[in-house]
């Protein structure tokens, strides 16, 4: 299987590569359009600030490529947020794959959220063999609201979408590569998707 | 619900783990990668590596270690110790560190916090603050607590949050190594003054201390070193007991 991690200079892609190595899954880091198009699965990571990450995507033309992909695509953290319609962070237009806006947490909770939080109302197949109320590790100041594409929820001041799915596109707000065994299970579920 | 975090801290010197009492009398507690793997297995929520070596090779040695740790474990970890530039941070993040912790460099050059937050995001910038009470006032100290500054702890905490720190790691030098409990009053006040997570450090010696710092200290996470390294408290047992006492914790 041919797995590509989209390498557009936004954050710590190495951790994800190491997590896949631990699962004996080969993956290549690439920003090459042809390599991404030819991949069986595409993982779209990202940490950092939204508007500068979006600029990096635009300067490489990946902003046009990613929404057109037909193989399974998994956005992680900022990657997932950039797949949404808009984010309040830097007032940034997203890729518009998920029909939901990303907002900043209100100050009734500590911002950023840092740590392990529970996930509920999960949809299959991404959450196969992951139990309700499992803990996943998140670091985020912004969240995608609940919407018809919500594939799992987390509560932090309010209930938000910690996972989204639409057709071949998946996104998770938490970091599966840092979420111990449950996170590894989620990565394996994505790798094993048949589409 | 977001859980409270238990964080073992590994002091690193020349690639090995050490921990002293009140930052003196170093004892060797083993291989950092092996310890990290063990802690991940034991359900530690996160790890902190603090590099206290002072050699010229330090940056390179640390980057190599960070890479080995990142390959070995599937929980987040923070790296600190002598970080003083954007380049220092970039090399650690590139090798797989999730967060970096700044201490003296932030005091000497507060603007560095803004720069790092802008470039890498607040989520990976921890500011470590060491403080002790002088005539009833909490004063920030540098160089492992040896050098006093004129900074008031709470003012400094507000400033680092405003400049873009994602988290504060507060060590009470008055409590560190004493195993008499965390500095809960000061911790609670930091949590009132800033709206970013606060990690309690210094003084954890038993289950009750961790309970107290989460409840009375309002800490989001608690960090300790030797009590974990030398098996005085086992993390699985600590977490189970905290959970039994209704603390929100990941088992």
């Amino acid at each position: 299987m041919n797995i590509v991690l989209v390498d557009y200079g936004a954050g710590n892609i190495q951790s994800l590569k190491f997590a896949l190595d631990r699962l004996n899954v080969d993956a290549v880091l690439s920003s090459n359009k042809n390599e991404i198009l030819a991949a069986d699965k595409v993982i779209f990571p990202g940490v950092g600030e939204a508007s500068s990450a979006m600029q990096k995507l635009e300067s490489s033309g990946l902003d046009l490529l990613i929404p057109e992909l037909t193989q399974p695509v998994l956005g992680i953290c900022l990657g997932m947020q950039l797949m949404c319609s808009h984010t309040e962070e830097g007032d940034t237009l997203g890729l518009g794959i998920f029909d939901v806006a990303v907002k900043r947490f209100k100050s009734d909770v500590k911002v950023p959220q840092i740590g392990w939080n529970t996930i509920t109302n999960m949809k299959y197949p991404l959450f196969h063999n992951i139990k309700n109320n499992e803990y996943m590790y998140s670091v985020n100041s912004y969240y995608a609201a609940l919407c018809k594409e919500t594939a799992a929820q987390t509560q932090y001041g309010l209930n938000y979408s910690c996972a989204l799915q639409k057709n071949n596109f998946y996104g998770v707000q938490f970091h599966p590569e840092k979420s111990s065994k449950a996170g590894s299970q989620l990565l394996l579920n994505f790798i094993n998707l048949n589409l | 619900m977001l859980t409270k975090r238990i964080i073992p801290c590994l002091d690193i010197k020349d690639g090995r783990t050490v921990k002293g009492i009140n930052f003196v009398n170093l004892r060797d507690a083993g291989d950092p990668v092996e310890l990290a793997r063990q802690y991940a297995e034991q359900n530690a929520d996160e790890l902190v590596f603090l590099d206290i070596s002072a050699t010229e090779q330090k940056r390179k040695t640390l980057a190599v270690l960070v890479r080995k740790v990142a390959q070995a474990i599937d929980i987040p970890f923070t790296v600190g110790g002598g970080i003083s530039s954007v380049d220092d941070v970039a090399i650690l993040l590139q090798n797989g560190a999730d967060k970096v912790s700044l201490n003296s460099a932030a005091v000497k050059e507060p603007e560095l916090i803004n720069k790092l937050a802008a470039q890498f995001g607040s989520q990976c910038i921890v500011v470590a603050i060491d403080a002790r009470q002088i005539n009833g006032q909490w004063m920030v100290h540098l160089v492992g607590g040896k050098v006093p500054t004129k900074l008031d702890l709470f003012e400094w905490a507000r400033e680092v949050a405003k400049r873009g720190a994602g988290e504060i790691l507060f060590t009470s030098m008055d409590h560190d190594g004493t195993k008499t409990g965390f500095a809960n009053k000061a911790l609670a006040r930091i949590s009132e003054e800033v709206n970013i997570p606060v990690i309690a450090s210094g003084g954890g010696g038993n289950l009750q201390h961790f309970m107290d710092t989460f409840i009375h200290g309002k800490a989001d996470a608690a960090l300790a070193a030797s009590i974990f390294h030398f098996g005085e408290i086992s993390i699985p047992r600590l977490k189970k007991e905290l959970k039994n006492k209704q603390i929100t914790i990941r088992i």
Side-chain angles (χ1 to χ4, degrees):
Chain A
M1 185 166 335
N2 177 7
I3 303 193
V4 169
L5 308 181
V6 181
D7 185 7
Y8 60 109
N12 187 357
I13 197 166
Q14 205 59 52
S15 297
L16 196 54
K17 172 79 174 113
F18 290 152
L20 294 169
D21 288 347
R22 285 193 294 272
L23 298 169
N24 294 315
V25 172
D26 278 330
V28 283
L29 278 57
S30 177
S31 56
N32 179 285
K33 287 182 190 176
N34 290 329
E35 278 184 359
I36 295 171
L37 274 169
D40 297 307
K41 304 268 157 64
V42 175
I43 300 181
F44 176 44
V47 292
E49 199 275 327
S51 64
S52 54
M54 198 63 201
Q55 274 172 18
K56 285 176 186 155
L57 277 184
E58 285 166 359
S59 65
S60 54
L62 293 174
D63 61 320
L64 301 176
L65 179 77
I66 291 170
E68 298 301 320
L69 294 173
T70 54
Q71 64 273 62
V73 178
L74 176 65
I76 296 177
C77 193
L78 182 62
M80 183 209 86
Q81 295 187 354
L82 295 179
M83 289 161 80
C84 297
S85 56
H86 176 267
T87 167
E88 281 185 358
E89 188 174 24
D91 189 15
T92 307
L93 274 179
L95 301 176
I97 295 166
F98 300 121
D99 186 19
V100 61
V102 175
K103 297 179 179 345
R104 190 175 165 88
F105 285 120
K106 298 275 181 283
S107 56
D108 57 337
V109 288
K110 288 192 173 185
V111 185
Q113 167 179 225
I114 297 183
W116 299 78
N117 204 334
T118 45
I119 58 169
T120 59
N121 299 79
M122 298 109 76
K123 289 188 181 158
Y124 296 86
L126 194 60
F127 290 93
H128 177 70
N129 273 343
I130 297 172
K131 64 179 199 292
N132 196 41
N133 286 315
E134 183 57 84
Y135 298 97
M136 295 287 185
Y137 183 82
S138 296
V139 182
N140 58 317
S141 301
Y142 296 81
Y143 68 93
L146 296 181
C147 62
K148 65 177 191 305
E149 290 150 2
T150 301
Q153 299 182 20
T154 288
Q155 199 243 331
Y156 191 59
L158 44 69
N159 286 309
Y160 68 90
S161 299
C162 68
L164 293 163
Q165 189 203 340
K166 183 184 186 182
N167 306 324
N168 58 313
F169 292 100
Y170 299 79
V172 290
Q173 178 60 61
F174 50 82
H175 286 277
E177 75 279 17
K178 290 288 166 180
S179 293
S180 194
K181 292 180 183 69
S184 298
Q185 179 68 52
L186 184 131
L187 288 173
L188 274 182
N189 290 345
F190 176 73
I191 299 303
N192 293 330
L193 281 178
N194 284 312
L195 198 97
Chain B
M1 286 262 284
L2 184 68
T3 64
K4 303 288 189 183
R5 287 168 282 153
I6 299 293
I7 307 178
C9 176
L10 292 80
D11 283 4
I12 305 294
K13 192 176 184 195
D14 306 324
R16 298 276 296 172
T17 317
V18 285
K19 175 65 190 179
I21 307 299
N22 283 330
F23 292 111
V24 225
N25 297 331
L26 300 177
R27 289 165 73 183
D28 196 338
D31 169 25
V33 179
E34 207 40 53
L35 262 177
R37 201 179 276 130
Q38 265 184 39
Y39 282 130
E41 279 296 313
Q42 291 179 7
N43 262 354
D45 294 302
E46 207 173 303
L47 301 176
V48 169
F49 293 87
L50 190 61
D51 189 9
I52 56 172
S53 46
T55 58
E56 282 175 26
Q57 288 296 308
K58 170 181 172 136
R59 270 176 70 164
K60 203 174 161 192
T61 315
L62 185 60
V64 170
L65 176 64
V66 163
R67 196 173 176 85
K68 282 186 193 157
V69 171
Q71 284 170 325
I73 65 171
D74 54 10
I75 60 170
F77 67 100
T78 302
V79 181
I83 293 170
S84 60
S85 70
V86 171
D87 286 350
D88 285 350
V89 172
I91 194 168
L92 295 172
L93 296 180
Q94 278 159 16
N95 279 286
D98 298 285
K99 301 187 258 187
V100 293
S101 162
L102 299 179
N103 193 331
S104 304
V107 172
K108 288 175 195 150
E109 188 199 344
E111 188 63 24
L112 182 62
I113 303 169
N114 305 64
K115 277 191 219 165
L116 293 172
Q119 181 147 353
F120 305 106
S122 290
Q123 82 291 333
C124 65
I125 308 301
V126 181
V127 174
I129 307 179
D130 297 342
R132 63 160 38 112
Q133 282 181 291
I134 297 175
N135 300 324
Q137 192 185 358
W138 281 97
M139 302 304 292
V140 176
H141 282 62
L142 301 181
V143 199
K146 284 181 226 141
V147 179
T149 69
K150 290 177 179 169
L151 286 172
D152 172 82
L153 165 64
F154 306 105
E155 276 174 31
W156 180 233
R158 276 197 302 273
E159 181 172 348
V160 304
K162 202 172 153 195
R163 287 179 177 276
E167 200 165 27
I168 288 173
L169 165 55
F170 166 52
T171 303
S172 164
M173 308 309 303
D174 293 336
H175 296 71
D176 197 61
T178 64
K179 299 181 192 173
T180 54
F182 296 90
N184 293 321
K185 275 189 187 161
L187 280 159
R189 195 171 150 200
I190 296 172
S191 265
E192 281 164 24
E193 305 238 2
V194 301
N195 199 41
I196 57 176
V198 179
I199 304 170
S201 161
N206 62 37
L207 167 73
Q208 189 64 43
H209 297 155
F210 285 86
M211 286 269 297
D212 290 345
T213 204
F214 290 137
I215 296 171
H216 304 300
K218 299 183 180 165
D220 299 286
L223 177 145
S226 55
I227 54 161
F228 296 142
H229 304 328
F230 297 107
E232 292 166 44
I233 294 184
S234 103
I235 290 180
R237 200 174 139 208
L238 171 66
K239 293 186 81 173
K240 196 170 164 219
E241 290 185 16
L242 287 169
K243 182 134 185 157
N244 288 342
K245 302 279 187 184
Q246 313 303 321
I247 303 287
T248 313
I249 209 105
R250 178 182 70 111
I251 296 289

